PDB file of all heavy atoms in Angstrom:
ATOM      1  N   ALA A  79      96.127  94.380  84.767  1.00 97.00           N
ATOM      2  CA  ALA A  79      94.937  94.839  84.306  1.00 97.00           C
ATOM      3  C   ALA A  79      94.175  95.446  85.503  1.00 97.00           C
ATOM      4  O   ALA A  79      94.321  94.942  86.623  1.00 97.00           O
ATOM      5  CB  ALA A  79      94.025  93.853  83.617  1.00 97.00           C
ATOM      6  N   VAL A  80      93.242  96.491  85.242  1.00 97.00           N
ATOM      7  CA  VAL A  80      92.441  97.052  86.363  1.00 97.00           C
ATOM      8  C   VAL A  80      91.104  97.052  85.787  1.00 97.00           C
ATOM      9  O   VAL A  80      90.783  97.312  84.538  1.00 97.00           O
ATOM     10  CB  VAL A  80      92.883  98.466  86.870  1.00 97.00           C
ATOM     11  CG1 VAL A  80      94.266  98.352  87.546  1.00 97.00           C
ATOM     12  CG2 VAL A  80      92.974  99.346  85.597  1.00 97.00           C
ATOM     13  N   THR A  81      90.104  96.872  86.662  1.00 96.00           N
ATOM     14  CA  THR A  81      88.631  96.913  86.320  1.00 96.00           C
ATOM     15  C   THR A  81      87.962  97.934  87.328  1.00 96.00           C
ATOM     16  O   THR A  81      88.386  98.063  88.527  1.00 96.00           O
ATOM     17  CB  THR A  81      87.886  95.596  86.336  1.00 96.00           C
ATOM     18  OG1 THR A  81      88.037  94.945  87.635  1.00 96.00           O
ATOM     19  CG2 THR A  81      88.610  94.680  85.347  1.00 96.00           C
ATOM     20  N   LEU A  82      86.985  98.522  86.802  1.00 96.00           N
ATOM     21  CA  LEU A  82      86.225  99.505  87.671  1.00 96.00           C
ATOM     22  C   LEU A  82      84.699  99.282  87.624  1.00 96.00           C
ATOM     23  O   LEU A  82      84.282  99.290  86.364  1.00 96.00           O
ATOM     24  CB  LEU A  82      86.740 100.922  87.320  1.00 96.00           C
ATOM     25  CG  LEU A  82      85.789 102.102  87.900  1.00 96.00           C
ATOM     26  CD1 LEU A  82      85.986 102.131  89.525  1.00 96.00           C
ATOM     27  CD2 LEU A  82      85.998 103.469  87.328  1.00 96.00           C
ATOM     28  N   ASN A  83      84.077  99.161  88.628  1.00 94.00           N
ATOM     29  CA  ASN A  83      82.660  99.025  88.760  1.00 94.00           C
ATOM     30  C   ASN A  83      82.111 100.245  89.530  1.00 94.00           C
ATOM     31  O   ASN A  83      82.114 100.264  90.757  1.00 94.00           O
ATOM     32  CB  ASN A  83      82.284  97.642  89.283  1.00 94.00           C
ATOM     33  CG  ASN A  83      80.625  97.547  89.299  1.00 94.00           C
ATOM     34  OD1 ASN A  83      79.992  98.484  89.360  1.00 94.00           O
ATOM     35  ND2 ASN A  83      80.229  96.336  89.190  1.00 94.00           N
ATOM     36  N   LYS A  84      81.657 101.255  88.799  1.00 93.00           N
ATOM     37  CA  LYS A  84      81.388 102.499  89.415  1.00 93.00           C
ATOM     38  C   LYS A  84      80.035 102.247  90.218  1.00 93.00           C
ATOM     39  O   LYS A  84      79.791 103.018  91.301  1.00 93.00           O
ATOM     40  CB  LYS A  84      81.079 103.635  88.367  1.00 93.00           C
ATOM     41  CG  LYS A  84      82.375 104.247  87.824  1.00 93.00           C
ATOM     42  CD  LYS A  84      82.226 105.272  86.743  1.00 93.00           C
ATOM     43  CE  LYS A  84      81.285 106.357  87.250  1.00 93.00           C
ATOM     44  NZ  LYS A  84      80.902 107.333  86.285  1.00 93.00           N
ATOM     45  N   THR A  85      79.043 101.474  89.696  1.00 93.00           N
ATOM     46  CA  THR A  85      77.811 101.251  90.344  1.00 93.00           C
ATOM     47  C   THR A  85      78.004 100.775  91.675  1.00 93.00           C
ATOM     48  O   THR A  85      77.482 101.152  92.731  1.00 93.00           O
ATOM     49  CB  THR A  85      76.881 100.369  89.591  1.00 93.00           C
ATOM     50  OG1 THR A  85      76.789 101.090  88.388  1.00 93.00           O
ATOM     51  CG2 THR A  85      75.540 100.112  90.222  1.00 93.00           C
ATOM     52  N   ALA A  86      78.913  99.695  91.756  1.00 94.00           N
ATOM     53  CA  ALA A  86      79.202  99.027  93.034  1.00 94.00           C
ATOM     54  C   ALA A  86      80.384  99.736  93.880  1.00 94.00           C
ATOM     55  O   ALA A  86      80.489  99.327  95.008  1.00 94.00           O
ATOM     56  CB  ALA A  86      79.565  97.505  92.725  1.00 94.00           C
ATOM     57  N   LYS A  87      80.952 100.603  93.271  1.00 95.00           N
ATOM     58  CA  LYS A  87      82.095 101.383  93.880  1.00 95.00           C
ATOM     59  C   LYS A  87      83.208 100.472  94.161  1.00 95.00           C
ATOM     60  O   LYS A  87      83.687 100.463  95.494  1.00 95.00           O
ATOM     61  CB  LYS A  87      81.625 102.123  94.996  1.00 95.00           C
ATOM     62  CG  LYS A  87      80.722 103.410  94.629  1.00 95.00           C
ATOM     63  CD  LYS A  87      80.571 104.437  95.766  1.00 95.00           C
ATOM     64  CE  LYS A  87      79.027 104.437  96.096  1.00 95.00           C
ATOM     65  NZ  LYS A  87      78.687 105.287  97.176  1.00 95.00           N
ATOM     66  N   HIS A  88      83.550  99.621  93.316  1.00 94.00           N
ATOM     67  CA  HIS A  88      84.807  98.767  93.632  1.00 94.00           C
ATOM     68  C   HIS A  88      85.572  98.658  92.329  1.00 94.00           C
ATOM     69  O   HIS A  88      85.216  98.741  91.137  1.00 94.00           O
ATOM     70  CB  HIS A  88      84.416  97.500  94.285  1.00 94.00           C
ATOM     71  CG  HIS A  88      83.692  96.518  93.463  1.00 94.00           C
ATOM     72  ND1 HIS A  88      84.207  95.889  92.259  1.00 94.00           N
ATOM     73  CD2 HIS A  88      82.323  96.023  93.555  1.00 94.00           C
ATOM     74  CE1 HIS A  88      83.194  95.050  91.876  1.00 94.00           C
ATOM     75  NE2 HIS A  88      82.067  95.236  92.592  1.00 94.00           N
ATOM     76  N   PHE A  89      86.936  98.509  92.518  1.00 97.00           N
ATOM     77  CA  PHE A  89      87.878  98.328  91.535  1.00 97.00           C
ATOM     78  C   PHE A  89      88.979  97.306  91.975  1.00 97.00           C
ATOM     79  O   PHE A  89      89.110  97.041  93.028  1.00 97.00           O
ATOM     80  CB  PHE A  89      88.544  99.690  91.153  1.00 97.00           C
ATOM     81  CG  PHE A  89      89.118 100.449  92.210  1.00 97.00           C
ATOM     82  CD1 PHE A  89      90.515 100.684  92.156  1.00 97.00           C
ATOM     83  CD2 PHE A  89      88.452 100.916  93.258  1.00 97.00           C
ATOM     84  CE1 PHE A  89      91.132 101.428  93.242  1.00 97.00           C
ATOM     85  CE2 PHE A  89      89.046 101.765  94.347  1.00 97.00           C
ATOM     86  CZ  PHE A  89      90.387 101.927  94.202  1.00 97.00           C
ATOM     87  N   SER A  90      89.543  96.712  90.973  1.00 98.00           N
ATOM     88  CA  SER A  90      90.458  95.423  91.147  1.00 98.00           C
ATOM     89  C   SER A  90      91.615  95.566  90.310  1.00 98.00           C
ATOM     90  O   SER A  90      91.610  96.166  89.238  1.00 98.00           O
ATOM     91  CB  SER A  90      89.726  94.172  90.857  1.00 98.00           C
ATOM     92  OG  SER A  90      88.598  93.970  91.620  1.00 98.00           O
ATOM     93  N   LEU A  91      92.673  95.056  90.866  1.00 98.00           N
ATOM     94  CA  LEU A  91      93.987  94.882  90.094  1.00 98.00           C
ATOM     95  C   LEU A  91      94.220  93.350  89.890  1.00 98.00           C
ATOM     96  O   LEU A  91      94.063  92.493  90.772  1.00 98.00           O
ATOM     97  CB  LEU A  91      95.218  95.359  90.943  1.00 98.00           C
ATOM     98  CG  LEU A  91      96.517  95.240  90.399  1.00 98.00           C
ATOM     99  CD1 LEU A  91      96.773  96.189  89.158  1.00 98.00           C
ATOM    100  CD2 LEU A  91      97.594  95.450  91.411  1.00 98.00           C
ATOM    101  N   HIS A  92      94.473  93.115  88.608  1.00 98.00           N
ATOM    102  CA  HIS A  92      94.922  91.636  88.295  1.00 98.00           C
ATOM    103  C   HIS A  92      96.171  91.617  87.747  1.00 98.00           C
ATOM    104  O   HIS A  92      96.649  92.413  86.750  1.00 98.00           O
ATOM    105  CB  HIS A  92      93.781  91.279  87.138  1.00 98.00           C
ATOM    106  CG  HIS A  92      92.428  91.386  87.612  1.00 98.00           C
ATOM    107  ND1 HIS A  92      91.609  90.250  87.843  1.00 98.00           N
ATOM    108  CD2 HIS A  92      91.640  92.443  87.684  1.00 98.00           C
ATOM    109  CE1 HIS A  92      90.427  90.815  88.155  1.00 98.00           C
ATOM    110  NE2 HIS A  92      90.346  91.983  88.124  1.00 98.00           N
ATOM    111  N   ILE A  93      96.965  90.709  88.272  1.00 98.00           N
ATOM    112  CA  ILE A  93      98.440  90.422  87.806  1.00 98.00           C
ATOM    113  C   ILE A  93      98.413  88.932  87.208  1.00 98.00           C
ATOM    114  O   ILE A  93      98.172  88.080  88.080  1.00 98.00           O
ATOM    115  CB  ILE A  93      99.463  90.744  88.736  1.00 98.00           C
ATOM    116  CG1 ILE A  93      99.266  92.157  89.452  1.00 98.00           C
ATOM    117  CG2 ILE A  93     100.836  90.535  88.156  1.00 98.00           C
ATOM    118  CD1 ILE A  93     100.341  92.312  90.549  1.00 98.00           C
ATOM    119  N   THR A  94      98.838  88.859  85.995  1.00 97.00           N
ATOM    120  CA  THR A  94      98.808  87.483  85.499  1.00 97.00           C
ATOM    121  C   THR A  94     100.247  87.190  85.329  1.00 97.00           C
ATOM    122  O   THR A  94     101.255  87.953  85.415  1.00 97.00           O
ATOM    123  CB  THR A  94      98.159  87.398  84.020  1.00 97.00           C
ATOM    124  OG1 THR A  94      98.811  88.370  83.248  1.00 97.00           O
ATOM    125  CG2 THR A  94      96.654  87.716  84.085  1.00 97.00           C
TER     126      THR A  94
END
Side-chain angles (χ1 to χ4, degrees):
Chain A
V80 291
T81 59
L82 170 65
N83 183 326
K84 285 177 58 181
T85 302
K87 288 192 243 174
H88 65 70
F89 55 115
S90 301
L91 175 71
H92 303 251
I93 306 174
T94 58

